[in-house]
Amino acid sequence: MTGDNQNALASFVKSNGFTHFITGLIVFNAILIGLETFDAVYTPFKGLFFWIDFIILLIFLIEVVLKIIVDQKSYFMNGWNIFDFVIVVGSIILYSTPFVSVLRILRVLRIMRTITAVPSLRRIVTALFMAIPTISSVMLIMAIIFYVYAILGTSFYRDISPEFFGNLHLSFITLFQIFTLESWASGIFRPIFAEAPWSWLYFISFIVVATFIMINLIVGEIVNNAQKISEGIEGETDEIKEDTTEIKEDTSEIREIRRELAEIKELIKSQNMK
């Protein structure tokens, strides 16, 4: 492929129109997969669904091939590209095999390609992955908090509410339900509070520490990373603008030098004619 053809293909693949087309196709594919769960819709048009899905998969394959041609080896240096490649190629390989369950998983995962097609979603997911070390530390603290409160709950409320705090295992499950704030007041707290008035300290302190403080730490870390990514993108944009300005200035200087050289040539010609 010649350089001009390579540049034209790169411009086409990286254009907003092509990106929007692929994004729309991913959304349409997601809707199609959702409709297949309705037997009344899927059964009468089973053949049509099959061919539409096949055509969509073929377009996804063409997209991957075009990006590999444009980016070449650098295509596989991007984790999002590898994610797309595995899903699309895996779907092609398993299309006519008995591994139906694996194929269904890959077809559903195609919906996740929306993340790779929308830059804002990629930034959020990247921020989430960047926060994993901090989240791991927070999860360790939460595990310690759960363990301490599970022991306290089992010790204090085993006899009052054996179905919730009868042993350490049940206490962990009960604390997780309280952590999610799902029916904790009427189903768990109030019967115990009726027999142990000071139990509110146990429940309220756990909710404040585990639910409010710990979750806010995780959310805060993700938001902080998202802000760093946005600032980094803005910084790169500013650098590009500065480079563009410098190039324009250099171009202006080159034009000025050319103009001066042209004047010198004209001056030399006039002197030679004399």
Side-chain angles (χ1 to χ4, degrees):
M1 183 179 290
T2 62
D4 293 338
N5 292 334
Q6 182 78 11
N7 293 334
L9 182 61
S11 299
F12 171 73
V13 171
K14 298 180 183 299
S15 65
N16 291 332
F18 184 77
T19 303
H20 293 160
F21 171 73
I22 294 298
T23 304
L25 198 63
I26 293 170
V27 173
F28 176 74
N29 182 54
I31 295 172
L32 197 70
I33 294 173
L35 289 175
E36 290 181 9
T37 61
F38 297 94
D39 292 334
V41 178
Y42 176 69
T43 304
F45 304 100
K46 188 174 182 179
L48 180 62
F49 273 89
F50 172 82
W51 283 109
I52 293 176
D53 180 73
F54 181 78
I55 292 171
I56 291 174
L57 184 58
L58 184 62
I59 295 173
F60 285 158
L61 179 63
I62 294 172
E63 178 211 1
V64 169
V65 172
L66 290 178
K67 285 186 175 180
I68 291 176
I69 293 173
V70 170
D71 297 333
Q72 298 179 359
K73 292 181 180 180
S74 62
Y75 176 86
F76 294 99
M77 301 298 291
N78 188 312
W80 294 113
N81 290 339
I82 296 174
F83 179 74
D84 288 345
F85 181 83
V86 170
I87 291 175
V88 174
V89 174
S91 298
I92 293 290
I93 293 173
L94 297 174
Y95 210 86
S96 300
T97 63
F99 300 102
V100 180
S101 58
V102 180
L103 177 60
R104 285 175 180 170
I105 293 172
L106 286 172
R107 290 184 69 243
V108 174
L109 283 177
R110 274 191 243 161
I111 302 171
M112 298 293 292
R113 294 193 66 228
T114 311
I115 297 173
T116 67
V118 181
S120 59
L121 294 181
R122 285 204 304 267
R123 287 198 293 270
I124 293 173
V125 175
T126 302
L128 179 61
F129 282 116
M130 288 174 60
I132 286 178
T134 303
I135 292 175
S136 301
S137 300
V138 174
M139 293 296 290
L140 179 60
I141 296 173
M142 287 182 65
I144 295 172
I145 293 171
F146 266 74
Y147 185 70
V148 170
Y149 273 85
I151 293 175
L152 292 174
T154 304
S155 302
F156 292 153
Y157 311 122
R158 176 188 298 167
D159 298 329
I160 299 174
S161 183
E163 69 274 21
F164 292 119
F165 293 99
N167 53 49
L168 195 63
H169 174 70
L170 289 174
S171 296
F172 268 112
I173 297 174
T174 302
L175 288 175
F176 186 78
Q177 181 180 345
I178 298 171
F179 173 75
T180 60
L181 303 178
E182 175 62 29
S183 303
W184 72 275
S186 59
I188 301 172
F189 169 68
R190 294 194 182 279
I192 296 175
F193 180 70
E195 297 190 33
W198 290 100
S199 60
W200 67 271
L201 287 173
Y202 172 84
F203 290 97
I204 298 300
S205 63
F206 175 76
I207 290 173
V208 169
V209 174
T211 303
F212 296 153
I213 296 178
M214 293 296 119
I215 293 299
N216 284 330
L217 284 176
I218 295 174
V219 173
E221 181 63 20
I222 296 173
V223 171
N224 184 42
N225 289 329
Q227 185 177 359
K228 288 180 181 178
I229 294 171
S230 299
E231 290 175 354
I233 294 174
E234 290 176 358
E236 292 177 358
T237 304
D238 292 338
E239 289 180 3
I240 292 172
K241 289 181 179 179
E242 290 177 1
D243 293 339
T244 304
T245 303
E246 290 177 0
I247 291 171
K248 289 181 179 179
E249 292 175 354
D250 293 341
T251 304
S252 300
E253 291 177 0
I254 292 172
R255 288 177 181 173
E256 183 67 22
I257 292 172
R258 286 180 177 177
R259 188 182 62 80
E260 292 176 356
L261 288 174
E263 291 178 356
I264 293 172
K265 285 182 181 179
E266 291 293 332
L267 182 61
I268 292 173
K269 284 181 182 180
S270 62
Q271 290 179 351
N272 290 334
M273 291 177 65
K274 292 178 181 180

